[in-house]
Amino acid sequence: MSLLAQEAPAPDQIGSPIINITVFAAFVLVTLVVVFRVSRGNRTASDYYAAGRSFTGPQNGVAIAGDYLSAASFLGIAGAIAVNGYDGFLYSIGFLVAWLVALLLVAELLRNTGKFTMGDVLSFRMRQRPVRAAAATSTLVVSFFYLLAQMAGAGALIALLLQIPNSDTLGQGIVIAVVGLLMITYVLVGGMKGTTWVQIIKAGLLLVGAATMVAWVLGRYAFDLSALLGDAVEANPTMETSSGEVKELGERLLIPGLQFGASDLAKIDFLSLGLALVLGTAGLPHILMRFYTVPNAKEARRSVVWAIWLIGIFYLFSLVLGYGAAALVPGGAQRIASAPGGTNSAAPLLAYQLGGELMLGIISAVAFATILAVVAGLTITASASFAHDVYANVLKRGTASPDSEVRVARRTAVLVGVVAVAAGILARNQNVAFLVALAFAVAASANLPTILYSLFWKRFNTAGALCSIYGGLGISVALIVLSPAVSGSSTAMIPSADFAIFPLANPGLVSIPASFLLGVVGTFLGRKDDRAAARHAEMEVRALTGAGSEKPAAPKTMPFPKIMV
């Protein structure tokens, strides 16, 4: 017997904007107080970029979970599961498995060989200026794609909560601009310390909020997951797509193939997506930068272990949230897909169905916190990369003072925020999990091959690094622009245009192997460096032992900032 006995309310009757704004304002006020308190300790470039390397492994692990569990995880994956069932959960599997690559190949070695940014590692045994410029370019592009997803999630969430229809571009644009302003404030005032504490608070709120909803949903079914899945199947026999096509759901929600099994091309697209998800995490600049906030490589490794546990638990929660939304939201998948914000509205709609306006306000504030924490982390990463790699080491050739470097980083943060707002308005109705997958593809193509070659291949040289970074970056971005994700369909970013000549929505299957290959080709075609062997030996010793790596500039344990004076 279905639990859907009531009529679905109209989209403009969901929640109370006053309650939603009140809960939002409370979260923003608390986090701003925390950020202002911790900002008093920002005295050096190390404090601003890496929080003085003063966070413990567990603290940093929680912050990594807060940084990684973005709008894609909370809003996008829940919506993808609600509409596409089993295939939507494949995003969760890919995002989680990716951490094994980060744990086994990157985390400890990166902490030992770097200082503030990914460019520190890549340029350790290469020519400084060209490699740092390439690393900064890659960081800015990957951060842009990731910011695109977060700002789109912000637009979708606030459109639902403040009852702004998808057709009101101006209204949603103003909301996205407000999110961007808050993001810039966190970064300018708090630096990495403030951003980290916002991420820790957000991770706690997200896990508690998701656990509460999961317990509530399962409680409706006497904690019988099979009954929940059966009700989701019964409540969603069919769904009409935006193009008018009637899509069969029902039992197909529980088996593979609803989204990625319609054709051979769809299966290849899924393979491309999976490759990008599994390899992308170890190349994400804002995740890599978090390893520099701990005092040593041991704590970096502990950070990843903590992050894996927390992220894994949350992704199990997302399975219940997705199917719970399909089963309990009146109108099911059809209602979720057509609501303001599209599939990203599944979790807020489920919260409203469970606990009314107050629950919707609380869960939406958690989602809002999720977006703010992630975009703050992305912004400080992009600004730090430009200031440290481009300004200090390329333009000033290492002569810039730490104070001027931080000033440039802050100005860059403002510029990054403006660009993110403009891009978020363009992509406001896209599924954020899909958009993040594009960022993963770019990161895996441009960054991961160069990082692995730098750490493990003795012969690797500057020419190989430049070919791998620029080649992987150029190929992945070009294929995205020419893919169905940007044009050629009603769900594309630019639905009115059609220049999609690349058939796959995610370029990972082509761009990632191409980047690895270009690194090899560039290395053998480039000029051989007689000192390469000595520099590789030095890097190997430093990566494995930590000898000569950056030391913490503050006490090993970072206490929680006192909010009350």
Side-chain angles (χ1 to χ4, degrees):
M1 181 68 181
S2 173
L3 297 177
L4 304 176
Q6 53 182 307
E7 291 295 322
D12 60 357
Q13 296 176 347
I14 292 297
S16 166
I18 296 177
I19 293 179
N20 298 332
I21 291 175
T22 301
V23 179
F24 284 169
F27 167 79
V28 170
L29 180 61
V30 171
T31 51
L32 281 176
V33 171
V34 171
V35 166
F36 275 102
R37 293 287 298 182
V38 300
S39 68
R40 298 177 182 179
N42 285 337
R43 298 183 179 88
T44 67
S46 177
D47 291 329
Y48 185 80
Y49 291 145
R53 311 186 200 285
S54 53
F55 285 95
T56 65
Q59 286 175 327
N60 194 47
V62 177
I64 288 175
D67 209 358
Y68 193 71
L69 293 174
S70 62
S73 299
F74 189 43
L75 302 178
I77 291 178
I81 293 173
V83 174
N84 295 307
Y86 180 94
D87 282 10
F89 187 59
L90 294 176
Y91 281 99
S92 295
I93 296 173
F95 285 141
L96 181 60
V97 171
W99 277 101
L100 295 178
V101 179
L103 174 63
L104 298 176
L105 297 178
V106 173
E108 184 175 351
L109 304 181
L110 197 78
R111 170 60 186 82
N112 284 339
T113 53
K115 184 178 181 181
F116 295 139
T117 67
M118 181 181 67
D120 291 329
V121 178
L122 301 185
S123 64
F124 189 91
R125 42 183 286 227
M126 312 291 176
R127 289 165 52 205
Q128 290 276 321
R129 297 181 71 197
V131 173
R132 282 189 182 275
T137 301
S138 173
T139 296
L140 290 171
V141 173
V142 173
S143 298
F144 168 77
F145 275 97
Y146 218 103
L147 278 169
L148 190 69
Q150 305 312 309
M151 302 306 283
L157 178 67
I158 308 301
L160 177 70
L161 301 178
L162 302 187
Q163 302 168 1
I164 303 173
N166 289 336
S167 58
D168 188 355
T169 304
L170 178 61
Q172 292 193 11
I174 292 173
V175 167
I176 292 174
V178 172
V179 174
L181 179 62
L182 287 171
M183 162 188 77
I184 293 170
T185 302
Y186 286 140
V187 174
L188 293 184
V189 174
M192 181 57 85
K193 285 183 182 178
T195 300
T196 299
W197 279 115
V198 170
Q199 289 165 346
I200 290 174
I201 295 170
K202 166 256 173 155
L205 291 174
L206 183 61
L207 288 167
V208 171
T212 301
M213 290 180 66
V214 166
W216 204 327
V217 169
L218 291 178
R220 300 277 291 262
Y221 295 91
F223 290 88
D224 185 350
L225 182 60
S226 296
L228 168 62
L229 299 179
D231 210 32
V233 168
E234 181 182 345
N236 297 277
T238 61
M239 185 184 75
E240 184 178 347
T241 65
S242 58
S243 61
E245 175 189 357
V246 177
K247 189 177 183 180
E248 294 291 333
L249 298 182
E251 294 286 346
R252 296 184 67 195
L253 286 171
L254 306 181
I255 60 176
L258 186 57
Q259 181 179 2
F260 298 113
S263 64
D264 290 338
L265 181 61
K267 295 176 182 177
I268 296 174
D269 208 357
F270 168 67
L271 180 61
S272 185
L273 171 68
L275 188 65
L277 295 182
V278 170
L279 298 180
T281 296
L284 290 174
H286 68 292
I287 297 298
L288 299 179
M289 194 171 175
R290 290 232 54 88
F291 297 138
Y292 299 130
T293 64
V294 292
N296 52 52
K298 178 184 176 182
E299 294 300 308
R301 190 167 58 251
R302 291 181 69 200
S303 298
V304 178
V305 173
W306 272 77
I308 288 175
W309 276 104
L310 295 175
I311 292 167
I313 290 170
F314 179 82
Y315 282 145
L316 290 177
F317 289 166
S318 71
L319 184 67
V320 176
L321 295 178
Y323 281 113
L328 297 176
V329 172
Q334 183 70 63
R335 170 70 194 292
I336 292 168
S338 60
T343 56
N344 302 314
S345 62
L349 287 172
L350 176 61
Y352 180 75
Q353 188 63 27
L354 293 173
E357 293 177 349
L358 181 59
M359 187 66 177
L360 173 64
I362 294 173
I363 294 302
S364 299
V366 170
F368 192 65
T370 296
I371 293 167
L372 280 178
V374 175
V375 295
L378 287 164
T379 302
I380 195 169
T381 300
S383 60
S385 181
F386 180 83
H388 182 64
D389 291 325
V390 178
Y391 173 75
N393 287 285
V394 176
L395 300 179
K396 293 295 184 179
R397 299 176 182 266
T399 62
S401 67
D403 289 343
S404 65
E405 193 175 322
V406 171
R407 281 198 302 271
V408 171
R410 287 184 165 132
R411 292 168 185 168
T412 306
V414 175
L415 180 61
V416 169
V418 172
V419 173
V421 168
I425 294 172
L426 178 65
R428 66 189 186 283
N429 292 324
Q430 297 288 313
N431 181 282
V432 289
F434 169 73
L435 290 174
V436 163
L438 297 182
F440 272 61
V442 178
S445 303
N447 297 340
L448 183 62
T450 316
I451 292 173
L452 295 182
Y453 284 152
S454 295
L455 291 172
F456 299 109
W457 188 16
K458 182 178 179 179
R459 177 73 170 78
F460 195 52
N461 58 22
T462 300
L466 297 178
C467 287
S468 182
I469 294 176
Y470 286 126
L473 188 66
I475 292 172
S476 59
V477 172
L479 293 182
I480 288 173
V481 172
L482 299 175
S483 75
V486 175
S487 69
S489 69
S490 59
T491 58
M493 294 184 193
I494 310 175
S496 59
D498 186 2
F499 45 85
I501 59 176
F502 181 68
L504 303 180
N506 191 292
L509 190 61
V510 175
S511 59
I512 296 173
S515 181
F516 276 101
L517 179 61
L518 286 170
V520 175
V521 172
T523 297
F524 284 106
L525 292 180
R527 185 176 59 185
K528 188 174 182 180
D529 189 346
D530 295 333
R531 296 175 297 171
R535 285 200 294 264
H536 175 266
E538 180 185 354
M539 185 175 189
E540 187 174 37
V541 171
R542 182 165 174 171
L544 295 177
T545 66
S549 62
E550 290 293 319
K551 302 301 181 184
K556 188 174 180 180
T557 301
M558 170 71 81
F560 190 86
K562 295 180 180 180
I563 297 179
M564 299 301 293
V565 178

